[in-house]
Amino acid sequence: DKRAEIQYLFKPATANFLLRASIGYSDCNKHREDSVEEEDDEAIHRKGISHERTFAPISSWSDLCNRLEMITLSLVQDLRERNLMPKTVTLKVKLATFDILTRAVTRNTAFVFDQNSTQSSSPQDLVDVAVNLLKEAKRDRDKMM
């Protein structure tokens, strides 16, 4: 772990920024009112959330899509609990050959998984985006072969 060396290589403000960025936090909105609850504060400062899973190779397309759906629904639950509203979805796939394919899409509007909101997104919306990214990665991989 080389994080301790960061403070010796950079000025304190830069070191603090780099360390926070490395764990996915941002200070972009630190001028908010002090009355904001702690959980809302995380929603403002957190830059990302991940649900990476490692599992045995799957050869069936439907099994792979089902696994992706389970992972995505678990992610939706975490997004709800943390009140996060993502705009960008990134899919990272490691093949049995250890090649890594990454695909991402950024929407103009954020996914909102608040059940009290009239603008709430369906969990299936995120599943559809993830499956489309998987199809795109498969198509690009097939072109390389």
Side-chain angles (χ1 to χ4, degrees):
D1 192 321
K2 305 257 184 196
R3 284 184 285 181
E5 295 176 15
I6 296 291
Q7 55 188 267
Y8 298 110
L9 297 172
F10 299 96
K11 292 181 180 180
T14 303
N16 185 35
F17 166 76
L18 292 171
L19 290 171
R20 290 178 62 85
S22 73
I23 59 172
Y25 275 77
S26 166
D27 279 341
C28 63
N29 292 322
K30 69 181 184 180
H31 300 295
R32 280 185 84 185
E33 295 178 24
D34 293 335
S35 63
V36 175
E37 294 178 17
E38 221 175 277
E39 64 188 43
D40 289 340
D41 193 46
E42 179 183 10
I44 291 298
H45 296 292
R46 184 149 185 145
K47 296 288 285 185
I49 190 169
S50 173
H51 268 262
E52 290 188 20
R53 299 289 182 268
T54 301
F55 45 86
I58 297 175
S59 59
S60 163
W61 177 254
S62 62
D63 288 346
L64 187 58
C65 288
N66 288 337
R67 180 65 64 107
L68 179 58
E69 182 175 2
M70 289 177 5
I71 293 168
T72 305
L73 293 175
S74 174
L75 176 61
V76 167
Q77 185 61 34
D78 281 356
L79 291 168
R80 274 190 183 131
E81 290 171 5
R82 294 188 169 123
N83 196 29
L84 296 174
M85 296 174 287
K87 282 184 155 185
T88 301
V89 177
T90 303
L91 177 73
K92 178 179 171 184
V93 179
K94 183 186 266 186
L95 304 175
T97 60
F98 297 100
D99 291 330
I100 296 176
L101 303 174
T102 305
R103 298 294 176 270
V105 65
T106 300
R107 295 170 25 132
N108 291 332
T109 59
F111 286 101
V112 178
F113 296 107
D114 180 2
Q115 294 172 339
N116 299 324
S117 171
T118 59
Q119 304 283 328
S120 187
S121 304
S122 161
Q124 190 61 43
D125 294 340
L126 188 58
V127 170
D128 292 345
V129 168
V131 169
N132 285 333
L133 290 172
L134 183 61
K135 286 178 184 176
E136 183 182 318
K138 182 182 184 304
R139 191 172 40 249
D140 291 348
R141 183 193 63 102
D142 291 345
K143 284 181 187 176
M144 292 188 306
M145 298 194 134

